[in-house]
Structures are given as C-alpha cells and as structure tokens.
Amino acid sequence: MTAIVRRNNLFPGFNNLFDEFFSKDLFDWNDKNFTATGATLPSVNVRETDSDFRIDLAAPGMKREDFRVELDKNILSISAEKKSEQEDNTGRYTRREFNYQSFSRSFTLPAEVVDSGKIEAAYREGILSITVPKKEAAKPQPVKNITVN
C-alpha cells in the first residue's frame, strides 16, 4: 500500500497522514477541524483502491467555480474561496454584512505510482470528490501460474 501524504499548510510538522490522527485525543471534539487561529478546515477522507486514490472533501454551500484544484510536481492542492456581501438600506440606517470563506489543503502524491494526467474532480451535494488513478505498473497484478517443464 502506498500512502498519500497530507501536507498541512498551517502546521508543517504534521506532514504524515496519520500523525495528526494519532496525536489527538479521540474523544476531544472541541478542536475538531479548527486551526490555531480558529478558522475551520473541511474534513477530508482519503481511500486507496487497487486502481486509484479517492479524496473526498466536505465543503457544503460552495459552488463548482469556488474550487481550485492544482497539481504542481507531485503536490495536489485543493483550495476554495467564497465571498458574499449583503446591504440593507432601510430608513435612516445602512446594514452591511460580509461573509468570506476560504481554505487550502495540500497532499503529496507518490509520483512513481500516480497517473497525474488522468486526475478527475467532481462536486456533488457538498462533497468535492477527486479521483487520482494509479499507473498500470503500480496496480496489483493477478497471480500468474507458471508451469514447470
């Protein structure tokens, strides 16, 4: 099994996918997905199958055009930005509300395993799903019986 390494942009020391999971108290839900500054990060699930890696990122309320998915060398970066402004001019006062959401997550892909030219992304029902196919040579090969002469 080849691992995708999660690169945490806010805490560079947590570059192993499992380091952060095992370093936190499993039952402490107070700081789940919060950074040191109080900003939230979307939850991410990474699964490996025989043919690909699948990355699912929970980002409800966003639109397709809010996302930016880039591959630079072997680092897959996922970011999003959403801005909204609302103004109410009623009577003698003006009320303005601003909302700004953004995040960035990065993952180091195993370059010798990943077929970077075939990466696909889709956004449905609040989940950004990214499929990272493996190269044919990296896929498990079936057992071949060889006859002895």
Side-chain angles (χ1 to χ4, degrees):
M1 179 182 281
T2 306
I4 290 180
V5 178
R6 183 174 137 245
R7 298 182 61 83
N8 191 322
N9 298 341
L10 299 172
F11 303 106
F14 286 114
N15 285 335
N16 185 307
L17 179 61
F18 298 104
D19 280 352
E20 187 172 295
F21 178 78
F22 289 116
S23 67
K24 291 192 175 195
D25 184 1
L26 184 61
F27 299 103
D28 182 9
W29 295 83
N30 294 326
D31 66 348
K32 180 160 177 51
N33 294 333
F34 284 86
T35 65
T37 61
T40 60
L41 291 174
S43 296
V44 175
N45 291 328
V46 179
R47 294 177 286 155
E48 180 180 7
T49 67
D50 288 342
S51 60
D52 57 26
F53 293 100
R54 297 194 183 154
I55 301 169
D56 294 325
L57 185 133
M62 305 293 266
K63 297 181 206 162
R64 275 184 190 91
E65 48 277 356
D66 295 334
F67 292 101
R68 187 172 169 175
V69 180
E70 297 178 326
L71 182 67
D72 183 15
K73 295 183 177 65
N74 63 331
I75 298 178
L76 179 71
S77 298
I78 306 165
S79 60
E81 183 175 279
K82 183 177 182 178
K83 298 177 188 177
S84 65
E85 182 177 330
Q86 201 173 29
E87 187 171 329
D88 184 10
N89 290 323
T90 307
R92 301 173 70 173
Y93 68 89
T94 299
R95 182 185 66 160
R96 295 181 85 179
E97 292 184 17
F98 300 93
N99 188 5
Y100 180 78
Q101 299 172 352
S102 71
F103 68 85
S104 178
R105 304 286 304 255
S106 296
F107 302 87
T108 300
L109 303 177
E112 65 281 352
V113 175
V114 170
D115 190 352
S116 61
K118 296 182 181 177
I119 296 174
E120 295 178 352
Y123 183 68
R124 287 183 202 87
E125 298 178 7
I127 305 291
L128 177 66
S129 298
I130 301 172
T131 304
V132 182
K134 293 180 180 178
K135 293 178 182 176
E136 285 300 318
K139 294 178 184 177
Q141 301 299 319
V143 176
K144 181 179 177 183
N145 289 325
I146 301 170
T147 49
V148 179
N149 294 326

Coordinates of all heavy atoms in Angstrom, one line a residue, residues 86-149:
Q86 N -23.9 41.6 1.6 CA -25.4 41.9 1.7 C -25.5 43.3 2.2 O -24.9 43.7 3.3 CB -26.1 40.9 2.5 CG -27.5 40.7 2.3 CD -28.1 39.6 3.1 OE1 -27.6 39.2 4.1 NE2 -29.1 39.0 2.5
E87 N -26.4 44.2 1.6 CA -26.6 45.5 2.1 C -28.1 45.8 2.2 O -28.8 45.4 1.3 CB -25.9 46.5 1.1 CG -26.0 47.9 1.6 CD -25.1 48.9 0.8 OE1 -24.1 48.4 0.2 OE2 -25.5 50.0 0.7
D88 N -28.4 46.4 3.3 CA -29.8 46.8 3.5 C -29.9 48.2 3.8 O -29.4 48.7 4.9 CB -30.4 45.9 4.7 CG -31.8 46.1 5.0 OD1 -32.5 46.8 4.1 OD2 -32.3 45.7 6.0
N89 N -30.5 49.0 2.9 CA -30.7 50.4 3.1 C -32.2 50.7 3.5 O -33.0 51.0 2.6 CB -30.4 51.2 1.9 CG -28.9 51.2 1.6 OD1 -28.1 51.3 2.5 ND2 -28.5 51.1 0.3
T90 N -32.5 50.6 4.7 CA -33.9 50.8 5.2 C -33.9 52.0 6.1 O -33.2 52.0 7.1 CB -34.4 49.5 5.9 OG1 -34.2 48.4 5.1 CG2 -35.9 49.6 6.2
G91 N -34.7 52.9 5.7 CA -34.9 54.1 6.6 C -33.7 54.9 6.7 O -33.0 55.3 5.8
R92 N -33.3 55.1 8.0 CA -32.2 56.0 8.3 C -30.9 55.3 8.6 O -29.9 55.8 9.1 CB -32.6 56.9 9.5 CG -33.8 57.7 9.2 CD -34.3 58.4 10.4 NE -33.3 59.5 10.7 CZ -33.6 60.4 11.6 NH1 -34.6 60.4 12.3 NH2 -32.7 61.3 11.9
Y93 N -30.8 54.0 8.3 CA -29.6 53.2 8.6 C -29.2 52.3 7.4 O -30.1 52.0 6.6 CB -29.7 52.4 9.9 CG -30.7 51.3 9.8 CD1 -30.3 50.0 9.3 CD2 -32.0 51.4 10.1 CE1 -31.2 49.0 9.2 CE2 -32.9 50.4 10.0 CZ -32.5 49.2 9.5 OH -33.4 48.1 9.4
T94 N -28.0 52.0 7.4 CA -27.5 51.0 6.4 C -26.8 49.9 7.1 O -26.0 50.1 8.0 CB -26.5 51.7 5.5 OG1 -27.1 52.8 4.8 CG2 -25.9 50.7 4.5
R95 N -27.3 48.7 6.8 CA -26.7 47.5 7.4 C -25.9 46.7 6.3 O -26.5 46.5 5.2 CB -27.7 46.6 8.0 CG -27.1 45.4 8.6 CD -28.2 44.5 9.1 NE -28.9 44.0 7.9 CZ -29.6 42.9 7.9 NH1 -29.9 42.2 9.0 NH2 -30.2 42.5 6.8
R96 N -24.7 46.5 6.5 CA -23.9 45.7 5.5 C -23.3 44.5 6.2 O -22.7 44.6 7.3 CB -22.7 46.6 5.0 CG -23.2 47.7 4.2 CD -22.1 48.5 3.6 NE -21.6 47.9 2.4 CZ -20.7 48.3 1.6 NH1 -20.0 49.3 2.0 NH2 -20.3 47.7 0.5
E97 N -23.4 43.4 5.6 CA -22.9 42.1 6.1 C -21.9 41.5 5.1 O -22.3 41.5 3.9 CB -24.0 41.1 6.4 CG -24.8 41.5 7.6 CD -25.9 40.5 8.0 OE1 -25.7 39.3 7.6 OE2 -26.8 40.8 8.7
F98 N -20.8 41.1 5.5 CA -19.8 40.5 4.7 C -19.6 39.1 5.1 O -19.6 38.8 6.3 CB -18.4 41.2 4.8 CG -18.5 42.7 4.3 CD1 -18.7 43.7 5.3 CD2 -18.3 43.0 3.0 CE1 -18.8 45.0 4.9 CE2 -18.4 44.3 2.6 CZ -18.6 45.3 3.6
N99 N -19.4 38.2 4.2 CA -19.0 36.8 4.5 C -17.9 36.4 3.6 O -18.0 36.6 2.4 CB -20.3 35.9 4.4 CG -20.0 34.5 4.9 OD1 -19.0 34.2 5.4 ND2 -21.0 33.6 4.6
Y100 N -16.9 35.8 4.2 CA -15.7 35.3 3.4 C -15.3 34.0 4.0 O -15.1 33.8 5.2 CB -14.6 36.4 3.6 CG -13.4 36.0 2.8 CD1 -13.3 36.2 1.5 CD2 -12.3 35.4 3.5 CE1 -12.1 35.8 0.8 CE2 -11.1 35.1 2.8 CZ -11.1 35.3 1.4 OH -9.9 34.9 0.7
Q101 N -15.2 33.0 3.1 CA -14.8 31.7 3.4 C -13.7 31.3 2.5 O -13.8 31.5 1.3 CB -15.9 30.6 3.2 CG -17.1 30.9 4.1 CD -18.3 29.9 3.7 OE1 -18.2 29.2 2.7 NE2 -19.3 29.9 4.5
S102 N -12.6 30.7 3.1 CA -11.6 30.2 2.2 C -10.8 29.1 3.0 O -10.8 29.1 4.2 CB -10.6 31.3 1.8 OG -9.8 31.7 2.9
F103 N -10.2 28.2 2.2 CA -9.4 27.2 2.8 C -8.4 26.7 1.7 O -8.6 26.9 0.6 CB -10.2 26.0 3.4 CG -10.9 25.2 2.3 CD1 -10.2 24.2 1.7 CD2 -12.2 25.5 2.0 CE1 -10.8 23.4 0.7 CE2 -12.8 24.7 1.0 CZ -12.1 23.7 0.3
S104 N -7.4 26.0 2.2 CA -6.4 25.4 1.3 C -5.9 24.1 2.0 O -5.5 24.1 3.2 CB -5.2 26.3 1.0 OG -4.3 25.7 0.2
R105 N -5.9 23.0 1.2 CA -5.4 21.7 1.7 C -4.5 21.2 0.7 O -4.7 21.3 -0.5 CB -6.5 20.7 1.9 CG -7.7 21.1 2.9 CD -7.4 21.1 4.3 NE -6.9 19.9 4.9 CZ -7.6 19.0 5.7 NH1 -8.8 19.2 5.9 NH2 -7.0 18.0 6.2
S106 N -3.4 20.6 1.1 CA -2.4 20.0 0.1 C -2.0 18.6 0.5 O -2.0 18.2 1.7 CB -1.1 20.9 0.1 OG -1.4 22.2 -0.3
F107 N -1.8 17.8 -0.5 CA -1.4 16.4 -0.4 C -0.2 16.1 -1.3 O -0.2 16.5 -2.4 CB -2.6 15.5 -0.8 CG -3.8 15.7 0.0 CD1 -4.7 16.7 -0.4 CD2 -4.1 15.0 1.2 CE1 -5.9 16.9 0.3 CE2 -5.2 15.3 1.9 CZ -6.1 16.2 1.5
T108 N 0.8 15.4 -0.7 CA 1.9 14.9 -1.5 C 1.5 13.6 -2.1 O 1.3 12.6 -1.4 CB 3.2 14.8 -0.7 OG1 3.5 16.1 -0.1 CG2 4.4 14.3 -1.5
L109 N 1.5 13.5 -3.4 CA 1.2 12.2 -4.1 C 2.5 11.4 -4.4 O 3.5 12.0 -4.8 CB 0.5 12.5 -5.4 CG -0.8 13.4 -5.3 CD1 -1.4 13.6 -6.7 CD2 -1.9 12.7 -4.5
P110 N 2.4 10.1 -4.3 CA 3.6 9.3 -4.7 C 3.8 9.3 -6.2 O 3.0 8.7 -6.9 CB 3.2 7.9 -4.2 CG 1.7 7.9 -4.0 CD 1.3 9.3 -3.8
A111 N 4.7 10.1 -6.7 CA 4.9 10.4 -8.1 C 5.1 9.1 -8.9 O 4.6 9.0 -10.1 CB 6.1 11.3 -8.3
E112 N 5.8 8.1 -8.3 CA 6.0 6.8 -9.1 C 4.8 6.0 -9.2 O 4.8 5.0 -10.0 CB 7.2 6.1 -8.4 CG 6.8 5.5 -7.0 CD 6.9 6.6 -5.9 OE1 7.4 7.7 -6.1 OE2 6.5 6.3 -4.8
V113 N 3.7 6.3 -8.5 CA 2.5 5.5 -8.5 C 1.4 6.2 -9.2 O 0.5 5.5 -9.9 CB 2.1 5.2 -7.1 CG1 0.8 4.4 -7.0 CG2 3.2 4.4 -6.4
V114 N 1.3 7.5 -9.2 CA 0.1 8.2 -9.7 C 0.2 8.6 -11.2 O 1.3 9.0 -11.6 CB 0.0 9.5 -8.8 CG1 -1.1 10.4 -9.4 CG2 -0.4 9.2 -7.4
D115 N -0.9 8.4 -11.9 CA -1.0 8.8 -13.3 C -1.6 10.2 -13.3 O -2.8 10.4 -13.3 CB -1.9 7.8 -14.0 CG -1.9 8.0 -15.5 OD1 -1.3 9.1 -16.0 OD2 -2.4 7.2 -16.2
S116 N -0.8 11.2 -13.2 CA -1.2 12.6 -13.0 C -2.0 13.2 -14.1 O -2.8 14.1 -13.9 CB 0.0 13.5 -12.7 OG 0.9 13.5 -13.7
G117 N -1.9 12.6 -15.3 CA -2.6 13.1 -16.4 C -4.1 12.8 -16.5 O -4.9 13.3 -17.3
K118 N -4.5 11.9 -15.6 CA -5.9 11.4 -15.6 C -6.7 11.8 -14.3 O -7.7 11.2 -14.0 CB -5.9 9.9 -15.8 CG -5.4 9.5 -17.1 CD -5.4 8.0 -17.3 CE -4.8 7.6 -18.7 NZ -4.8 6.1 -18.8
I119 N -6.2 12.7 -13.5 CA -6.9 13.1 -12.3 C -8.2 13.8 -12.7 O -8.2 14.6 -13.5 CB -6.0 14.0 -11.4 CG1 -4.7 13.3 -11.0 CG2 -6.8 14.6 -10.2 CD1 -3.7 14.1 -10.3
E120 N -9.3 13.4 -11.9 CA -10.6 14.0 -12.2 C -11.2 14.5 -10.9 O -10.9 14.0 -9.8 CB -11.5 12.9 -12.8 CG -11.1 12.4 -14.1 CD -12.1 11.4 -14.7 OE1 -13.0 10.9 -13.9 OE2 -11.9 11.0 -15.8
A121 N -12.0 15.6 -11.0 CA -12.7 16.1 -9.8 C -14.1 16.4 -10.1 O -14.4 16.8 -11.3 CB -12.0 17.4 -9.4
A122 N -15.0 16.2 -9.2 CA -16.4 16.4 -9.3 C -17.0 16.9 -8.0 O -16.5 16.5 -6.9 CB -17.2 15.2 -9.7
Y123 N -17.9 17.9 -8.1 CA -18.6 18.4 -6.9 C -20.1 18.1 -6.9 O -20.8 18.5 -7.8 CB -18.3 19.9 -6.8 CG -18.9 20.5 -5.5 CD1 -18.3 20.3 -4.3 CD2 -19.9 21.4 -5.6 CE1 -18.8 20.8 -3.1 CE2 -20.4 22.0 -4.5 CZ -19.9 21.7 -3.2 OH -20.4 22.3 -2.1
R124 N -20.5 17.3 -5.9 CA -21.9 16.9 -5.8 C -22.4 16.9 -4.4 O -21.7 16.3 -3.5 CB -22.2 15.5 -6.4 CG -22.1 15.5 -7.9 CD -22.4 14.1 -8.5 NE -21.8 13.9 -9.8 CZ -20.6 13.5 -10.0 NH1 -19.8 13.2 -9.0 NH2 -20.1 13.4 -11.2
E125 N -23.5 17.5 -4.1 CA -24.1 17.5 -2.8 C -23.2 17.8 -1.7 O -23.2 17.2 -0.6 CB -24.8 16.2 -2.6 CG -25.9 15.9 -3.6 CD -26.5 14.5 -3.4 OE1 -26.2 13.8 -2.4 OE2 -27.3 14.1 -4.3
G126 N -22.4 18.9 -1.8 CA -21.5 19.3 -0.8 C -20.2 18.6 -0.6 O -19.4 18.9 0.3
I127 N -19.9 17.6 -1.5 CA -18.7 16.8 -1.4 C -17.9 17.0 -2.7 O -18.4 16.8 -3.8 CB -19.0 15.3 -1.2 CG1 -19.9 15.1 0.0 CG2 -17.7 14.5 -1.2 CD1 -19.2 15.3 1.3
L128 N -16.6 17.5 -2.5 CA -15.7 17.5 -3.7 C -15.0 16.2 -3.7 O -14.3 15.8 -2.7 CB -14.7 18.6 -3.5 CG -13.6 18.8 -4.6 CD1 -14.2 19.1 -5.9 CD2 -12.6 19.8 -4.2
S129 N -15.1 15.4 -4.8 CA -14.5 14.1 -4.9 C -13.4 14.2 -6.0 O -13.7 14.6 -7.1 CB -15.6 13.1 -5.3 OG -16.5 13.0 -4.3
I130 N -12.3 13.8 -5.6 CA -11.1 13.8 -6.6 C -10.6 12.3 -6.7 O -10.4 11.7 -5.7 CB -10.0 14.7 -6.1 CG1 -10.5 16.1 -5.9 CG2 -8.8 14.6 -7.0 CD1 -9.6 17.1 -5.2
T131 N -10.5 11.9 -7.9 CA -10.0 10.6 -8.2 C -8.6 10.7 -8.8 O -8.4 11.4 -9.8 CB -11.0 9.8 -9.2 OG1 -12.3 9.8 -8.7 CG2 -10.5 8.4 -9.5
V132 N -7.7 10.0 -8.2 CA -6.3 10.1 -8.6 C -5.9 8.6 -9.0 O -5.6 7.8 -8.2 CB -5.4 10.5 -7.5 CG1 -3.9 10.6 -8.0 CG2 -5.8 11.9 -6.9
P133 N -5.9 8.4 -10.4 CA -5.7 7.0 -10.8 C -4.2 6.6 -10.6 O -3.3 7.4 -10.6 CB -6.0 7.0 -12.3 CG -6.5 8.4 -12.6 CD -6.3 9.3 -11.4
K134 N -4.0 5.3 -10.5 CA -2.6 4.8 -10.4 C -2.1 4.4 -11.8 O -2.9 4.1 -12.7 CB -2.6 3.5 -9.5 CG -2.9 3.8 -8.0 CD -2.9 2.5 -7.2 CE -3.2 2.7 -5.8 NZ -3.2 1.5 -5.1
K135 N -0.8 4.4 -11.9 CA -0.2 3.9 -13.2 C -0.5 2.4 -13.3 O -0.6 1.7 -12.2 CB 1.3 4.2 -13.2 CG 1.6 5.7 -13.3 CD 3.1 5.9 -13.3 CE 3.4 7.4 -13.3 NZ 4.8 7.7 -13.2
E136 N -0.5 1.9 -14.5 CA -0.7 0.5 -14.6 C 0.3 -0.4 -13.9 O 0.0 -1.4 -13.3 CB -0.7 0.1 -16.1 CG -2.0 0.5 -16.9 CD -3.3 -0.1 -16.3 OE1 -3.2 -1.3 -16.0 OE2 -4.3 0.6 -16.2
A137 N 1.5 0.1 -13.9 CA 2.6 -0.7 -13.3 C 2.4 -0.8 -11.8 O 2.9 -1.7 -11.1 CB 4.0 -0.1 -13.6
A138 N 1.7 0.2 -11.2 CA 1.6 0.3 -9.7 C 0.3 -0.5 -9.3 O 0.2 -0.8 -8.1 CB 1.4 1.7 -9.3
K139 N -0.5 -0.9 -10.2 CA -1.7 -1.7 -9.8 C -1.3 -3.1 -9.5 O -0.4 -3.6 -10.1 CB -2.7 -1.6 -10.9 CG -3.3 -0.3 -11.2 CD -4.3 -0.3 -12.3 CE -4.8 1.1 -12.6 NZ -5.7 1.1 -13.8
P140 N -2.0 -3.7 -8.5 CA -1.7 -5.1 -8.2 C -1.9 -6.0 -9.4 O -2.9 -5.9 -10.1 CB -2.6 -5.5 -7.1 CG -3.4 -4.2 -6.7 CD -3.1 -3.2 -7.7
Q141 N -1.0 -6.9 -9.6 CA -1.1 -7.8 -10.8 C -1.6 -9.1 -10.3 O -1.3 -9.6 -9.2 CB 0.3 -8.0 -11.4 CG 1.0 -6.7 -11.9 CD 0.1 -6.0 -13.0 OE1 -0.4 -6.7 -13.9 NE2 0.0 -4.7 -12.9
P142 N -2.5 -9.8 -11.1 CA -3.0 -11.1 -10.7 C -1.9 -12.1 -10.6 O -0.9 -12.0 -11.3 CB -4.0 -11.4 -11.8 CG -3.6 -10.6 -13.0 CD -2.9 -9.4 -12.4
V143 N -2.1 -13.1 -9.8 CA -1.1 -14.2 -9.6 C -1.1 -15.0 -10.9 O -2.1 -15.3 -11.4 CB -1.5 -15.1 -8.4 CG1 -0.6 -16.2 -8.3 CG2 -1.5 -14.3 -7.1
K144 N 0.1 -15.2 -11.4 CA 0.2 -15.9 -12.6 C 0.9 -17.3 -12.3 O 1.9 -17.3 -11.7 CB 1.1 -15.1 -13.6 CG 1.3 -15.8 -14.9 CD 2.2 -15.0 -15.8 CE 2.4 -15.7 -17.1 NZ 3.3 -14.9 -18.0
N145 N 0.2 -18.3 -12.7 CA 0.8 -19.7 -12.5 C 1.7 -20.0 -13.6 O 1.4 -19.8 -14.8 CB -0.4 -20.7 -12.5 CG -1.2 -20.6 -11.2 OD1 -0.6 -20.3 -10.1 ND2 -2.5 -20.8 -11.3
I146 N 2.9 -20.5 -13.3 CA 3.9 -20.8 -14.3 C 4.1 -22.3 -14.2 O 4.3 -22.9 -13.2 CB 5.2 -20.1 -14.0 CG1 4.9 -18.6 -14.0 CG2 6.3 -20.5 -15.0 CD1 6.1 -17.7 -13.5
T147 N 3.9 -23.0 -15.4 CA 4.1 -24.4 -15.4 C 5.5 -24.8 -15.4 O 6.4 -24.1 -16.0 CB 3.4 -25.0 -16.6 OG1 3.8 -24.3 -17.8 CG2 1.9 -25.0 -16.5
V148 N 5.8 -25.8 -14.7 CA 7.2 -26.2 -14.7 C 7.4 -27.3 -15.7 O 6.7 -28.3 -15.7 CB 7.5 -26.8 -13.3 CG1 9.0 -27.3 -13.2 CG2 7.3 -25.7 -12.2
N149 N 8.4 -27.2 -16.6 CA 8.6 -28.1 -17.6 C 9.6 -29.2 -17.2 O 10.5 -29.0 -16.4 CB 9.2 -27.5 -18.9 CG 8.1 -26.5 -19.5 OD1 6.9 -26.8 -19.4 ND2 8.6 -25.4 -20.0

